Amino acid sequence: MHKTGFFLIISAILIPILLLYQHSCITLGNVSIYELGEVVIGNENINSQISLNSQNIHNSKKSFYAIDKKTGMPDDLFNIEEMASQNLHINTEGAGPKILIFHTHGSEMYADSKNVNEGVIGAGEQLKSILEDKYGVECLHITDRFDMVEGRLQRDGAYERAEPVITQVIKENPSIQLVIDLHRDGVNENLRLAADIDGKPYAKIMFFNGICRKWDNGRLVPVEGLENPYVKTNLALSYQMQNTVASFNTDVLRKIYINAYRYSLHMMDKSMLIELGAQTNTVEEAGNSIEIIAEALAKVCL
């Protein structure tokens, strides 16, 4: 391995560990009470004398992730070295969109949103514009609201309604190599997932993974009917994105959330689900954080 590549991998492993003991980890209060269920939070304080060895890497995983009690962290999926070193770059050459942005819950809005174009759909359009205008990568933004049925809000079944549409879009656009399902979280009304960095307000960012495994009589078993051959790449993508955003400022981050199910992450290997703030955040805060997400995507995938 070339020395530069070696040092990049080591840096990707060391950065989250160093940042985690320098900055207090996110508390249970910053995990959605509506979507996430019961969550196991790792040790809030990592010993400042931490050194790099396999045991400390294992401990850092517990501090880097919020794990729903329905599932766990099997070693075959959560290998820090593998996640840090996986090549996630896409080929930006040639015609056609390279990144697909959509919203399983397109009706999600912010505290001061005036319409859906100032909710997650508006944030998705902003992400598309930045990636195209600043980084020259063509994107396709699907603005369908899969959480609406006959004009009424209906969150149940949204993932099932989205899947055939998004699958067909990917089939019709073989140039697509990265899929982003952009959401905003739902939290207690007195909880503000916001950070002020150098006088600029940001909505906190959470990367979200489903690993298609749940506990059954003390064993972590596959969830029947919810297979995903791309779980390892999904996890590497959220890990490297978390790492990259952390290098900007850890205050804007929440823990990577892990649940038992599949969500929208099985239609392409490079897929991610992002929770951009919550209903208590402002449009401005969400927009500022979209800039961070775009920059991280450029570093990790372009």
Side-chain angles (χ1 to χ4, degrees):
M1 180 184 294
H2 192 277
K3 287 184 178 180
T4 301
F6 174 78
F7 285 119
L8 286 173
I9 293 170
I10 293 300
S11 296
I13 296 169
L14 280 171
I15 286 173
I17 295 173
L18 294 172
L19 288 169
L20 284 166
Y21 77 76
Q22 289 174 349
H23 178 75
S24 296
C25 297
I26 306 303
T27 64
L28 184 59
N30 280 355
V31 177
S32 167
I33 63 172
Y34 297 135
E35 294 273 82
L36 307 188
E38 294 185 283
V39 177
V40 178
I41 299 295
N43 183 3
E44 296 294 327
N45 299 300
I46 296 179
N47 191 309
S48 62
Q49 300 303 314
I50 192 168
S51 60
L52 184 61
N53 59 50
S54 59
Q55 183 60 45
N56 285 325
I57 289 173
H58 175 76
N59 290 338
S60 77
K61 291 191 298 186
K62 296 296 184 182
S63 297
F64 215 44
Y65 291 90
I67 312 298
D68 191 279
K69 286 187 176 180
K70 292 187 293 295
T71 193
M73 297 183 74
D75 289 340
D76 64 314
L77 295 182
F78 292 87
N79 183 305
I80 296 293
E81 294 93 334
E82 286 184 5
M83 290 191 291
S85 62
Q86 187 165 341
N87 184 352
L88 298 170
H89 286 84
I90 64 175
N91 181 4
T92 59
E93 301 298 323
K98 307 302 186 294
I99 298 174
L100 171 64
I101 303 163
F102 78 102
H103 315 274
T104 298
H105 298 147
S107 298
E108 292 174 333
M109 294 191 284
Y110 295 100
D112 57 346
S113 297
K114 296 180 179 63
N115 51 57
V116 294
N117 293 322
E118 292 186 353
V120 292
I121 288 177
E125 190 63 23
Q126 181 183 354
L127 179 59
K128 175 180 183 291
S129 295
I130 294 173
L131 290 172
E132 290 185 337
D133 297 343
K134 184 174 182 178
Y135 298 104
V137 180
E138 184 178 349
C139 301
L140 178 60
H141 183 204
I142 302 299
T143 60
D144 298 37
R145 297 163 68 188
F146 301 107
D147 55 357
M148 295 291 289
V149 177
E150 297 179 353
R152 294 188 177 184
L153 186 65
Q154 179 61 57
R155 291 172 64 87
D156 290 347
Y159 285 98
E160 290 77 11
R161 290 189 290 274
E163 181 174 351
V165 175
I166 300 306
T167 300
Q168 185 63 29
V169 169
I170 293 171
K171 182 178 179 181
E172 292 173 355
N173 297 273
S175 58
I176 290 172
Q177 300 162 60
L178 173 65
V179 176
I180 300 168
D181 186 3
L182 185 63
H183 294 242
R184 68 105 176 101
D185 210 347
V187 299
N188 191 301
E189 288 294 336
N190 63 11
L191 179 62
R192 289 266 295 137
L193 300 176
D196 187 286
I197 302 170
D198 296 328
K200 189 173 181 177
Y202 294 86
K204 293 199 174 188
I205 299 164
M206 180 173 73
F207 300 105
F208 187 114
N209 288 100
I211 66 168
C212 306
R213 298 189 195 182
K214 65 178 180 179
W215 292 114
D216 183 13
N217 294 321
R219 296 173 57 243
L220 202 55
V221 301
V223 180
E224 187 175 352
L226 294 179
E227 295 79 14
N228 179 0
Y230 308 126
V231 170
K232 282 192 173 183
T233 305
N234 296 165
L235 289 168
L237 188 52
S238 63
Y239 178 84
Q240 290 190 28
M241 286 291 290
Q242 184 91 346
N243 241 5
T244 304
V245 174
S247 68
F248 167 71
N249 194 301
T250 56
D251 287 345
V252 78
L253 280 170
R254 300 165 69 190
K255 291 185 177 182
I256 300 173
Y257 182 76
I258 305 295
N259 208 334
Y261 307 115
R262 185 170 66 181
Y263 303 97
S264 55
L265 299 169
H266 63 292
M267 293 176 278
M268 177 160 285
D269 58 347
K270 296 182 184 69
S271 293
M272 69 172 69
L273 194 160
I274 305 172
E275 298 276 3
L276 178 64
Q279 86 282 3
T280 54
N281 285 101
T282 67
V283 174
E284 180 187 11
E285 290 165 349
N288 290 338
S289 291
I290 278 292
E291 296 173 3
I292 297 174
I293 290 171
E295 183 177 346
L297 280 169
K299 291 179 178 179
V300 172
C301 298
L302 302 185

